[in-house]
Amino acid sequence: TLLCSLETVINAGAKIVSFATPILPNDVFLNLEAIVDDIYSVYKINDFVNLEYHYENIKKMESEEVKQIVQSSKNYLPLK
């Protein structure tokens, strides 16, 4: 899903592609490094198990809830 998303924005003509995530396994970092311009992550880890292992409390969110959070950000720039 991630690579498909990146391919979509690159094919749409994005001049700069950035990727942000709270946890990033090293092997994924190495693969993304060749594809995107910027990578932002709080933790880069060697042994990714699963999200529940790395988070004490994880909240399941629906897509609409995530969309509302992103759109309410002062840094949000909608696609045109």
Side-chain angles (χ1 to χ4, degrees):
T1 304
L2 170 60
L3 293 178
C4 181
S5 300
L6 292 173
E7 183 178 333
T8 299
V9 297
I10 291 168
N11 289 339
K15 292 182 171 63
I16 297 173
V17 178
S18 299
F19 177 75
T21 184
I23 296 176
L24 184 63
N26 277 327
D27 59 332
V28 175
F29 172 80
L30 294 173
N31 290 327
L32 286 176
E33 195 174 34
I35 300 170
V36 302
D37 299 295
D38 300 301
I39 301 173
Y40 303 96
S41 180
V42 177
Y43 298 107
K44 193 166 68 166
I45 56 176
N46 289 321
D47 300 312
F48 180 79
V49 178
N50 61 39
L51 288 177
E52 288 77 15
Y53 178 83
H54 295 284
Y55 284 96
E56 189 173 308
N57 295 311
I58 193 165
K59 179 184 176 189
K60 302 279 183 191
M61 298 175 75
E62 297 296 322
S63 297
E64 277 304 310
E65 192 175 358
V66 173
K67 191 175 176 181
Q68 288 175 352
I69 291 169
V70 170
Q71 290 175 340
S72 67
S73 168
K74 65 177 182 166
N75 298 313
Y76 175 64
L77 299 172
L79 294 174
K80 295 181 181 186

